[in-house]
């Protein structure tokens, strides 16, 4: 089977169009129902195609807002821009990271399945019908309800030196204050991995989090997206140089602090603050065991506090903090 999903607009002709991906979804409250995922395309003659996605996790808001804002500003493009602001639309409707229909994390099911569940079918369509048309993909993320990040643009540490160098130029063209070269904890099933395996240019972001959106992060994302579109020749002009060159960081072993205790988190550092190895990052209090001493988690490396657990309570195994180190 090719796909069960249809698209209400032509993705290949010149012009600006908004429409929907239609995913059949017969269910208790809608017998012949479907899910309609908004999609926008702008095409102006020959040139590269850039696919911009957000909302693969349904509790991240900066990316979808930046893509909706960008769509309103896309006038003359050379080549094509495809925008999918709420890729996992059922998850966005439910304000949850995973889909309420099949409980799948869309960024762990790529390459997806044409005859799979709703999330798998959507992932398959994104890869086989949208990524297949694209020369470059930017997938916008943030921390969602459980993490908060210093707004940043992200690439992977790619083994091929040419592809690494080409991706790094695009990373710096984005012009974010912080640019991360990341080694994933668990890269299987990610859109990132699927796109990179096909040799296409891939960038991501972490734009904040906490299950909300903040004005500075959205502005940074919009400026960065326009800069990369200029860098790729899809928008006219040169990328706007940032006030200061991006600070390049990475996350070698020891940068991720995982909670070994459940309890109440007392953050000891703000996001973006400088950290020295051995410095306390957070304290976990045992609020049910009155009198038991709290546990302090310390940094293993020098750097800056890049991400932190967002809710006030932490469970064993949660990501408590991430330190990023200068490259
Ligand atoms: Zn995400």
């Amino acid at each position: 089977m090719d796909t069960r999903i249809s698209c209400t607009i032509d993705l290949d002709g010149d012009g600006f169009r908004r429409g929907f991906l239609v995913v059949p979804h017969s269910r208790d409250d809608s017998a012949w129902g479907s899910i309609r995922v908004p999609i926008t395309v702008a095409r102006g003659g020959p040139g590269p195609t850039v696919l911009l996605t957000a909302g693969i996790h349904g509790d991240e808001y900066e990316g979808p807002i930046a893509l909706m804002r960008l769509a309103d500003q896309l006038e003359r493009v050379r080549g094509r821009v495809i925008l999918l602001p709420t890729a996992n639309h059922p998850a966005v409707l439910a304000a949850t990271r995973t889909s309420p229909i099949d409980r799948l994390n869309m960024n762990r099911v790529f390459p997806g399945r044409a005859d799979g569940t709703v999330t798998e079918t959507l992932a398959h369509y994104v890869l086989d019908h949208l990524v297949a048309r694209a020369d470059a993909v930017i997938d916008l993320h943030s921390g969602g309800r459980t993490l908060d990040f210093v707004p940043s643009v992200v690439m992977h540490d790619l083994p091929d030196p040419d592809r690494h160098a080409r991706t790094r130029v695009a990373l710096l063209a984005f012009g974010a204050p912080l640019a991360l070269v990341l080694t994933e904890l668990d890269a299987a099933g990610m859109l990132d991995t699927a796109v990179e395996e096909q040799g296409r240019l891939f960038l991501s972001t972490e734009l904040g989090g906490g299950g909300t959106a903040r004005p500075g992060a959205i502005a940074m994302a919009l400026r960065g997206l326009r800069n990369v579109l200029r860098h790729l020749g899809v928008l006219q002009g040169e990328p706007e140089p940032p006030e200061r060159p991006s600070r390049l960081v990475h996350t070698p072993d020891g940068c991720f602090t995982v909670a070994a205790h459940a309890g109440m988190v007392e953050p000891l550092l703000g996001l973006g603050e400088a950290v020295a190895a051995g410095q306390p990052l957070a304290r976990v209090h045992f609020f049910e065991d009155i009198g038991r001493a709290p546990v302090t988690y310390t940094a293993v490396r020098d750097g800056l506090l890049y991400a932190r657990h967002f809710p006030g309570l932490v469970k064993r195994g949660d990501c408590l903090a991430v330190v990023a180190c200068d490259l």
Side-chain angles (χ1 to χ4, degrees):
M1 193 194 321
D2 176 34
T3 182
R4 290 187 292 139
I5 297 178
S6 56
C7 183
T8 63
I9 53 170
D10 169 24
L11 295 173
D12 299 317
D14 278 345
F16 181 90
R17 282 178 288 280
R18 297 180 200 266
F20 296 93
L21 304 181
V22 180
V23 190
H25 184 45
S26 177
R27 56 197 194 267
D28 288 341
D29 66 340
S30 186
W32 288 3
S34 61
I35 296 156
R36 295 167 74 86
V37 185
I39 185 168
T40 302
V41 61
R43 176 152 210 169
T49 291
V50 183
L51 171 65
L52 304 175
T53 53
I56 276 188
H57 295 134
D59 60 350
E60 302 172 3
Y61 300 98
E62 300 88 340
I65 293 168
L67 291 193
M68 290 186 286
R69 294 267 315 274
L70 181 70
D72 291 338
Q73 301 168 5
L74 279 181
E75 292 130 23
R76 287 219 304 265
V77 303
R78 193 181 69 84
R80 174 167 55 181
V81 184
I82 303 172
L83 304 101
L84 197 66
T86 56
N88 193 352
H89 200 73
V92 175
L93 284 173
T96 51
R97 180 171 177 84
T98 61
S99 172
I101 297 169
D102 50 27
R103 300 269 47 128
L104 288 175
N105 174 346
M106 189 171 174
N107 215 20
R108 294 294 182 276
V109 301
F110 284 94
R113 281 170 43 203
D115 60 350
T117 66
V118 167
T119 306
E120 290 169 330
T121 313
L122 269 167
H124 175 267
Y125 187 92
V126 167
L127 196 61
D128 262 38
H129 293 261
L130 303 183
V131 173
R133 285 173 158 89
D135 301 286
V137 178
I138 306 178
D139 184 32
L140 304 174
H141 285 263
S142 47
R145 288 196 291 198
T146 61
L147 288 173
D148 200 9
F149 285 86
V150 179
S152 48
V153 61
V154 182
M155 69 172 274
H156 291 115
D157 192 4
L158 300 170
D160 179 273
D162 289 346
R163 283 180 49 220
H164 189 102
R166 196 162 54 94
T167 308
R168 185 168 155 145
V169 174
L171 180 88
L172 296 176
F174 192 98
L178 197 70
L180 172 67
V181 180
L182 178 67
T183 308
E184 293 286 350
L185 289 176
D186 169 25
M190 295 182 74
L191 174 61
D192 317 40
T193 312
V195 174
E196 286 165 356
E197 278 173 357
Q198 295 183 1
R200 301 176 209 268
L201 181 74
F202 184 86
L203 288 179
S204 183
T205 62
E206 293 295 354
L207 295 170
T212 186
R214 301 182 183 101
I218 294 165
M220 188 206 84
L222 260 175
R223 195 169 54 241
L225 291 169
R226 297 184 73 93
N227 277 343
V228 175
L229 291 175
R230 290 189 191 109
H231 166 69
L232 296 171
V234 174
L235 291 180
Q236 282 187 337
E238 292 297 310
E240 232 176 75
E243 281 174 30
R244 228 172 290 152
S246 301
R247 179 173 174 184
L248 263 175
V249 293
H250 67 149
T251 52
D253 280 352
C255 282
F256 290 80
T257 300
V258 176
H261 309 84
M264 193 175 289
V265 186
E266 178 186 356
L268 299 173
L269 270 182
L271 273 185
E273 282 189 56
V275 188
Q279 189 176 341
L281 293 169
R283 209 172 272 141
V284 174
H285 292 272
F286 304 104
F287 59 96
E288 289 193 300
D289 299 333
I290 188 104
R292 181 174 167 193
V295 172
T296 302
Y297 288 80
T298 54
V300 172
R301 292 174 178 273
D302 294 343
L304 65 101
L305 184 64
Y306 175 58
R308 53 161 280 210
H309 182 76
F310 192 77
L313 297 184
V314 70
K315 298 180 301 301
R316 194 171 288 195
D318 285 352
C319 178
L320 196 55
V322 183
V323 170
C325 309
D326 285 301
L327 248 185

